[in-house]
Amino acid sequence: MAMVVDYKHDSSFPYWTSIRRRFAPDSPFFSSGNIERELLAKQVALDFTEDERNQLEKMIDTDARGVFCPIVGCGARLTLLEDFEDHYNTRHTASCSVCYRVYPTSRLLSIHVSEAHDSFFQAKVARGYAMYECLVEGCDLKFKNYKGRQQHLVDKHKFPTSFEFFKKAHPSKKQRLKNQRKRAVNKKDEEVSSKMEVENEMMEGLVSAVSKLSTSDSSPSTVSFGRRNARGLTFVPRSVQPPLQKK
Amino acid sequence: MADDFPASHRRDPIKSSVGNVAAQRRRQNAVTVGKERRESLVRAKRLCRVGPSGDGDVPGEENDMVTDEEGFLLDAQTSSAVEDLKSAIAYQGKGAMQKRVNALRELRRLLSKSEFPPVEAALKAGAIPLLVQCLSFGSPDEQLLEAAWCLTNIAAGKPEETKALLPAIPLLIAHLGEKSSLPVAEQCAWALGNVAGEGEELRNVLLSQGALPPLARMMLPNKGSTVRTAAWALSNLIKGPDPKAATELIKVDGLLDAILRHLRKSDEELATEVAWVVVYLSALSNFATSVLVKSDAILLVVERLATSNSLQLLIPVLRSLGNLVAGDSHTTSTVLIPGHEITDGVIKVLVKCLKSDHRVLKKEASWVLSNIAAGSIEHKQLIYSSEAVPLLLRLLSTAPFDIRKEVAYVLGNLCVTPTGGDGKPNLIEEHLVSLVQRGCLSGFIDLVRSADIEAARLGLQFMELVLRGMPNGDGPKLVEQEDGIDAMERYQFHENEDLRNMANGLVDKYFGENYGIDE
């Protein structure tokens, strides 16, 4: 039986270790068994039907297993753990109608749309206005360039150095084919796509410049925060001028 | 004179009701099950509705669900019954004792009728001091029995009602002695069991007033409903969180023997309550755990797991096994040695639990397996090559969340070597590769997507094993195929910093600049 000996034990990742786990008798781990005990004991006395018992268990279960949404700034109460996936898909997958990137809040989506698809935005940037706003709600600082904002996120808000708000350099082959197909579908407005591609190139130029300056050793270049994914609701904030302009 | 009841009469403390009407009304009620009802159902207290000679109203149709009007009437009747008792006690003339017993009986009947007896009314009318008087030494058995029965049901409900029994406790304990008739002792044990079931504070009162030794002695006979009631009361009494009572209990002369005897030979109902005693002994007291591990307890528990199909028995017996494995490293290292018959037996019964329909059994059996899988390499190999793995793999994709989490622990533990002195476990490549090939990765990635911090952590840790340990650098590709990158990306705006760092670290390391270029 071959065993892999690890040569890079980097202390920051908590590796899986197999340890015995013991629980106190009043631990929540045991509560469903305890409840079952009492219900079974009374079942004979009160002659519950199977149905009644299941209903009761469900009700007790719900109380115990509520949880709050862990996405920053959300705090929505989820009655059952299972609800999280639905909640996430409904509330945290705001998708850009232009490039299909997905963001966890509508605010971030709207920032993305401004930065990536709005020529007015780019025009103002070119004139030296501080247009890149901080992604953390309530911070309100603005920066003249993407890199400046990025640095601020890392320095002030402890974002990981690998974080990239806008990124797309090496999607997987499957993804690249998918994207090609999507672009073919959207070719109806050539103006838009060419404009978009110009913007993308500009972005990519910026981004590749940024990555060369980046302080971390290996910034992820394939994984972007808003990745191309047609999942979730399509959402275009009304506050942003849609880039679809026929000439 | 009073009814004579045969002392050894087998007693069903709870009797089934047979009313269709009652069931219907309950069904209606169940739809609007209120908080109060729910609380009462999961309490560790038990109402006594049938006496030792089968005496008492059969919980019947008219009685079970009380309307508001009926409730009002019941309260009035109860108050007047207490008044009757008061005057019966004051009365000194001829036939005084019969008068007292009749009055007690009437009150007892009112307190045994429905699921929610008129306790408040009884307390308001001043029942407790009267009942305490009826418990005085030298009173006839029937009087003692009825008084203790009333107190039992008064204590079966809300916290403040149970606490009202405080003045009666010393006498109830006194009547547990060998000089008392069995039914009386049993009824007193029942009342005390309800008091103990209330909470830590009352448990401490009971312990300081010496409730433990007489209750423990009541467990020594071979059979009888008294033994069962005493075992149940003890399980409430020692449940802590202070381990002192549990440690004291195991030291009682003859008690370990009695426990083993009951586990080995007694009927399932008695074995169930004794098993709960073992649950609390093994969960709280290290001393008790080591005593039990050195005895035949594990063998007997495995035997019960193998032969019984009663969920009521299986739950505490499985948990006892779990506590004995979790609580003492000796269990896995010296008793459950891979290759020995007892170890095979344990794996077999755990597999049986995994196959069952019951959620609690599947979850706790997985927990036990995860602890065995945290043992030596031989233990991991034993589980890996057993029937458990295909079952676990299926559970990982289909079972409810809490089961999936425990299953994840088992599978992950199978893939790493025991944690050595330097704290750096290595991978067991053979196990990891096989499990991943059999499709477990998506189950772990699902855990990464959950809102539960512990589960997400497990998922990320397993992903790290895959990314690091799959041969030929296959890890990243496999993770990507299962949308693992997507799952990790969600953590960029997650409020938990540890998880954020873990996810980002993995993305940085394995899906960096050069990923996918050579495709």
Side-chain angles (χ1 to χ4, degrees):
Chain A
M1 177 185 58
M3 273 193 262
V4 176
V5 179
D6 293 296
Y7 49 93
K8 266 202 288 229
H9 262 100
D10 143 39
S11 56
S12 61
F13 191 92
Y15 299 102
W16 189 301
T17 49
S18 62
I19 48 171
R20 260 184 304 131
R21 290 172 301 139
R22 189 183 193 185
F23 297 107
D26 56 358
S27 158
F29 181 77
F30 288 135
S31 61
S32 48
N34 291 339
I35 290 170
E36 194 67 41
R37 173 192 187 186
E38 303 307 336
L39 287 180
L40 282 167
K42 287 163 186 112
Q43 175 169 352
V44 180
L46 302 174
D47 197 28
F48 288 152
T49 61
E50 187 68 35
D51 248 1
E52 282 173 301
R53 206 155 65 76
N54 287 336
Q55 247 181 357
L56 280 161
E57 280 179 32
K58 200 172 180 184
M59 235 164 304
I60 292 158
D61 233 11
T62 314
D63 271 347
R65 303 206 299 122
V67 80
F68 291 98
C69 173
I71 300 299
V72 166
C74 179
R77 169 99 205 260
L78 308 164
T79 11
L80 287 178
L81 213 52
E82 280 80 9
D83 294 341
F84 181 55
E85 191 66 18
D86 281 341
H87 165 80
Y88 190 90
N89 286 330
T90 318
R91 298 278 290 278
H92 298 297
T93 51
S95 128
C96 176
S97 64
V98 180
C99 68
Y100 306 103
R101 282 188 176 74
V102 181
Y103 296 89
T105 67
S106 47
R107 176 172 170 273
L108 289 172
L109 173 63
S110 117
I111 293 176
H112 155 76
V113 174
S114 309
E115 295 179 6
H117 307 306
D118 185 4
S119 48
F120 294 119
F121 182 93
Q122 289 310 324
K124 289 203 121 165
V125 168
R127 284 198 200 92
Y129 287 90
M131 297 297 291
Y132 289 92
E133 52 182 299
C134 174
L135 301 180
V136 177
E137 217 164 316
C139 180
D140 294 336
L141 283 177
K142 292 208 202 282
F143 300 84
K144 292 200 182 159
N145 55 50
Y146 182 89
K147 206 240 156 167
R149 197 252 315 270
Q150 180 77 357
Q151 205 53 49
H152 164 78
L153 291 175
V154 172
D155 294 339
K156 276 276 140 53
H157 300 294
K158 309 275 190 254
F159 271 53
T161 49
S162 57
F163 176 82
E164 287 289 357
F165 185 51
F166 182 101
K167 200 63 172 139
K168 191 192 73 71
H170 296 292
S172 67
K173 188 165 186 186
K174 181 172 84 181
Q175 199 60 64
R176 276 179 259 138
L177 290 171
K178 232 200 224 165
N179 296 343
Q180 270 179 20
R181 264 181 264 125
K182 280 216 190 75
R183 259 189 280 244
V185 166
N186 286 333
K187 226 52 194 284
K188 54 177 178 176
D189 199 326
E190 306 247 1
E191 202 70 36
V192 177
S193 13
S194 65
K195 197 179 245 159
M196 201 172 76
E197 278 171 286
V198 167
E199 284 168 355
N200 282 351
E201 274 172 286
M202 220 167 70
M203 262 309 151
E204 293 213 47
L206 251 171
V207 151
S208 57
V210 164
S211 56
K212 292 204 180 82
L213 294 165
S214 142
T215 46
S216 72
D217 282 342
S218 56
S219 33
S221 48
T222 50
V223 176
S224 78
F225 179 57
R227 78 221 162 285
R228 302 210 166 208
N229 195 322
R231 241 176 45 207
L233 303 171
T234 303
F235 174 84
V236 179
R238 271 181 240 121
S239 57
V240 172
Q241 297 288 341
L244 288 150
Q245 279 159 28
K246 290 205 191 304
K247 258 217 184 135
Chain B
M1 234 287 264
D3 296 335
D4 273 303
F5 25 81
S8 61
H9 189 104
R10 184 191 161 76
R11 178 179 184 183
D12 284 329
I14 35 195
K15 208 155 166 179
S16 56
S17 87
V18 203
N20 237 339
V21 180
Q24 248 176 45
R25 227 178 276 154
R26 265 200 316 277
R27 233 167 273 129
Q28 283 168 18
N29 244 11
V31 173
T32 52
V33 165
K35 189 160 181 261
E36 194 182 309
R37 180 157 200 257
R38 256 182 293 158
E39 272 173 5
S40 92
L41 285 168
V42 303
R43 262 185 211 126
K45 303 173 188 168
R46 295 179 188 176
L47 262 175
C48 175
R49 303 180 77 169
V50 178
S53 52
D55 187 27
D57 294 318
V58 173
E61 295 137 24
E62 343 81 55
N63 292 329
D64 253 33
M65 279 299 149
V66 174
T67 66
D68 275 347
E69 225 173 66
E70 288 168 352
F72 186 69
L73 183 61
L74 201 54
D75 284 352
Q77 287 171 324
T78 305
S79 303
S80 91
V82 176
E83 282 307 312
D84 287 345
L85 180 60
K86 192 171 188 179
S87 42
I89 289 176
Y91 180 70
Q92 299 286 342
K94 191 167 171 204
M97 203 224 55
Q98 190 57 50
K99 252 188 146 69
R100 279 200 298 276
V101 168
N102 290 344
L104 280 169
R105 188 171 292 160
E106 183 50 31
L107 179 60
R108 176 263 290 172
R109 285 211 179 103
L110 291 166
L111 287 170
S112 309
K113 267 188 170 189
S114 76
E115 206 181 321
F116 297 101
V119 175
E120 203 180 321
L123 290 175
K124 249 206 246 147
I128 299 282
L130 301 172
L131 292 170
V132 171
Q133 273 189 278
C134 293
L135 284 179
S136 57
F137 293 121
S139 305
D141 280 352
E142 195 176 354
Q143 179 177 314
L144 294 172
L145 181 69
E146 296 285 353
W149 190 335
C150 289
L151 288 166
T152 300
N153 288 356
I154 290 176
K158 303 185 198 152
E160 27 332 329
E161 294 167 359
T162 308
K163 289 189 180 122
L165 250 77
L166 271 168
I169 294 178
L171 279 166
L172 287 168
I173 295 177
H175 288 298
L176 294 176
E178 324 81 65
K179 296 286 194 285
S180 301
S181 79
L182 278 179
V184 168
E186 181 178 352
Q187 197 59 62
C188 292
W190 195 323
L192 292 170
N194 279 344
V195 173
E198 168 45 42
E200 190 184 355
E201 216 179 288
L202 282 174
R203 268 176 233 140
N204 289 336
V205 170
L206 289 170
L207 291 167
S208 66
Q209 295 188 4
L212 194 138
L215 277 174
R217 280 193 291 272
M218 283 165 80
M219 266 187 72
L220 303 183
N222 277 330
K223 57 186 169 119
S225 63
T226 311
V227 184
R228 188 176 57 204
T229 304
W232 166 73
L234 274 169
S235 74
N236 271 355
L237 185 61
I238 64 171
K239 62 166 64 158
D242 190 326
K244 256 203 312 246
T247 307
E248 195 184 322
L249 180 61
I250 197 75
K251 290 182 181 164
V252 168
D253 222 5
L255 187 94
L256 176 64
D257 246 15
I259 287 180
L260 297 175
R261 207 183 332 123
H262 292 309
L263 284 178
R264 185 178 298 124
K265 292 195 289 210
S266 294
D267 64 78
E268 290 198 327
E269 281 175 334
L270 176 48
T272 298
E273 301 302 343
V274 173
W276 279 107
V277 174
V278 176
V279 164
Y280 288 106
L281 286 172
S282 55
L284 287 163
S285 164
N286 292 335
F287 177 73
T289 304
S290 67
V291 167
L292 287 163
V293 169
K294 292 195 188 91
S295 75
D296 274 342
I298 295 182
L299 251 170
L300 296 170
V301 147
V302 169
E303 184 62 24
R304 286 287 183 171
L305 279 166
T307 56
S308 171
N309 286 312
S310 151
L311 182 62
Q312 264 187 303
L313 174 57
L314 290 173
I315 291 179
V317 138
L318 173 61
R319 195 181 289 184
S320 296
L321 177 62
N323 286 341
L324 292 173
V325 169
D328 191 342
S329 61
H330 273 95
T331 316
T332 16
S333 61
T334 58
V335 179
L336 301 181
I337 298 178
H340 287 199
E341 198 179 320
I342 185 174
T343 317
D344 291 333
V346 164
I347 304 288
K348 237 214 213 84
V349 297
L350 292 174
V351 164
K352 176 185 171 188
C353 292
L354 288 179
K355 285 183 179 160
S356 91
D357 286 330
H358 299 291
R359 198 156 152 164
V360 176
L361 295 181
K362 288 190 270 205
K363 172 180 163 180
E364 297 195 15
S366 303
W367 164 60
V368 184
L369 276 169
S370 77
N371 280 339
I372 301 177
S376 69
I377 300 231
E378 291 76 24
H379 282 107
K380 296 169 199 264
Q381 285 170 320
L382 182 66
I383 297 177
Y384 170 74
S385 47
S386 76
E387 214 188 320
V389 170
L391 289 167
L392 292 166
L393 287 168
R394 191 159 61 239
L395 286 170
L396 186 65
S397 29
T398 58
F401 174 78
D402 47 356
I403 298 174
R404 281 188 280 129
K405 197 157 76 163
E406 296 310 311
V407 170
Y409 273 108
V410 188
L411 296 175
N413 284 351
L414 291 178
C415 295
V416 299
T417 58
T419 311
D422 58 0
K424 290 196 293 189
N426 295 312
L427 291 161
I428 303 177
E429 190 177 306
E430 180 189 335
H431 294 179
L432 178 69
V433 170
S434 164
L435 292 174
V436 170
Q437 277 172 353
R438 292 196 255 175
C440 73
L441 185 55
S442 61
F444 279 95
I445 292 180
D446 271 343
L447 291 178
V448 174
R449 289 179 194 281
S450 90
D452 181 81
I453 304 289
E454 187 191 343
R457 201 158 195 275
L458 279 180
L460 288 169
Q461 284 175 316
F462 191 81
M463 277 173 71
E464 192 276 334
L465 293 179
V466 170
L467 290 166
R468 169 172 37 119
M470 290 303 280
N472 309 318
D474 282 342
K477 243 186 303 187
L478 290 165
V479 166
E480 184 183 13
Q481 268 164 23
E482 300 291 343
D483 282 334
I485 305 179
D486 174 46
M488 287 190 287
E489 279 186 311
R490 290 191 183 189
Y491 285 87
Q492 292 178 331
F493 276 88
H494 195 282
E495 58 188 15
N496 184 297
E497 190 173 336
D498 284 334
L499 294 178
R500 270 209 314 268
N501 290 337
M502 282 171 77
N504 289 324
L506 289 179
V507 166
D508 275 352
K509 186 166 182 176
Y510 293 100
F511 298 98
E513 240 161 39
N514 301 314
Y515 178 66
I517 279 194
D518 32 326
E519 238 178 289

